[in-house]
């Protein structure tokens, strides 16, 4: 998993409450088990007409937000079903950070496991960042995970909290597999000893 240390990028405003995982990646795109290729279908029913044409007014279709790496979102982002395809689609599009007042628990956990930093801040801070994001291509927001700080285009600083273990995993690019592989030498030692003490189990 790609490490998350510092990020400076365009922030896209999405002031919609209760954005659920079916809005993020509709059910017809859940057939794949690959984490790549879903970015083109991110927010599919909001981005495209039924015949596949882009909807110009949707935020990620606007020229200034096509390369957004940060979403400033409304309350309760990621609610609905527990599909992990939702953070896969966001990451494949290029979104590395989502800022909101609140997230659905399963979606929140899935973000950390897929290299996305979900940040919870106050309604007042979201309102300020939403206003910053409305500046389009000038809406460059910087996120420093080590310092736990968000800086807007005017240099204002917002502090945020994050669980220490999740922070460690993101800073070091550790997903569940990576965490397991950190114990590889211990597992190898166990297998070696086990083969010697109980060789009949390995025949």
């Amino acid at each position: 998993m790609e490490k998350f240390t510092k990020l400076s990028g365009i922030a896209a405003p999405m002031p919609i409450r209760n954005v659920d995982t079916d809005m993020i990646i509709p059910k017809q795109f859940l057939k794949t088990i690959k984490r790549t290729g879903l970015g083109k279908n991110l927010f599919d029913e909001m981005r495209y007409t039924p015949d596949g044409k882009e909807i110009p007014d949707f935020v990620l279709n606007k020229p200034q937000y096509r390369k957004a790496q940060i979403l400033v979102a409304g309350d309760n982002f990621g609610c609905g079903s527990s599909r992990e395809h939702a953070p896969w689609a966001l990451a494949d599009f290029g979104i590395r950070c989502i800022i909101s007042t609140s997230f659905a628990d399963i979606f929140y956990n899935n973000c950390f496991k897929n290299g996305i930093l979900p940040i919870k801040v106050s309604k007042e801070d979201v309102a300020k960042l939403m206003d910053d994001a409305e500046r389009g291509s000038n809406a460059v927001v910087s996120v420093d995970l080590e310092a736990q700080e968000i800086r807007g285009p005017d240099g204002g600083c917002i502090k945020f909290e994050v669980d220490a273990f999740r922070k460690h995993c993101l800073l070091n690019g550790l997903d569940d597999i990576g965490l397991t592989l950190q114990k590889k030498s211990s597992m190898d030692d166990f297998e070696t000893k086990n083969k010697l003490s109980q060789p009949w189990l390995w025949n």
Side-chain angles (χ1 to χ4, degrees):
M1 186 174 76
E2 184 179 354
K3 294 180 181 180
F4 190 114
T5 53
K6 296 179 180 180
L7 172 67
S8 290
I10 299 296
M14 189 172 287
I16 306 170
R17 298 181 65 188
N18 302 317
V19 171
D20 65 37
T21 52
D22 191 55
M23 293 165 69
I24 297 171
I25 185 72
K27 58 186 178 300
Q28 62 266 33
F29 304 110
L30 305 186
K31 298 174 184 177
T32 182
I33 57 171
K34 295 180 179 179
R35 300 187 184 195
T36 57
L38 290 169
K40 65 182 181 294
N41 302 118
L42 178 68
F43 299 115
D44 191 85
E45 293 173 2
M46 301 167 74
R47 281 171 72 191
Y48 306 107
T49 62
D51 59 356
K53 294 180 181 178
E54 287 190 354
I55 298 172
D57 288 342
F58 182 68
V59 61
L60 296 181
N61 287 338
K62 295 179 179 180
Q64 61 267 42
Y65 297 114
R66 286 182 179 271
K67 295 187 182 298
Q69 293 179 281
I70 299 167
L71 276 184
V72 183
D75 304 339
N76 196 30
F77 191 88
C79 57
S81 67
S82 60
R83 64 190 69 172
E84 194 171 1
H85 292 68
W88 292 357
L90 287 158
D92 193 59
F93 180 87
I95 301 296
R96 298 293 316 281
C97 178
I98 306 166
I99 304 170
S100 179
T101 59
S102 57
F103 297 88
D105 287 343
I106 294 175
F107 174 83
Y108 185 75
N109 292 331
N110 282 338
C111 280
F112 284 103
K113 293 180 179 182
N114 288 280
I116 297 173
L117 173 60
I119 299 176
K120 299 177 186 178
V121 295
S122 69
K123 287 184 180 293
E124 293 75 19
D125 287 337
V126 165
K128 176 64 172 69
L129 290 166
M130 199 74 74
D131 184 62
D132 289 340
E134 293 286 353
R135 301 184 188 191
S137 56
N138 293 320
V140 175
V141 172
S142 298
V143 178
D144 186 330
L145 178 55
E146 183 65 52
Q148 296 178 209
E149 293 177 349
I150 306 167
R151 293 192 179 273
D154 293 331
C157 180
I158 296 170
K159 300 288 288 186
F160 64 90
E161 297 297 321
V162 62
D163 175 79
F165 175 70
R166 288 169 169 158
K167 177 179 178 178
H168 167 79
C169 290
L170 277 182
L171 287 171
N172 293 280
L174 297 170
D175 57 11
D176 288 348
I177 294 173
L179 286 167
T180 301
L181 289 175
Q182 286 190 315
K183 306 293 184 181
K184 186 177 185 304
S185 60
S186 296
M187 291 187 290
D188 289 343
D189 288 345
F190 172 81
E191 284 194 4
T192 299
K193 292 175 182 177
N194 193 254
K195 285 178 181 179
L196 292 172
S197 64
Q198 303 182 75
W200 59 89
L201 295 177
W202 299 88
N203 292 331

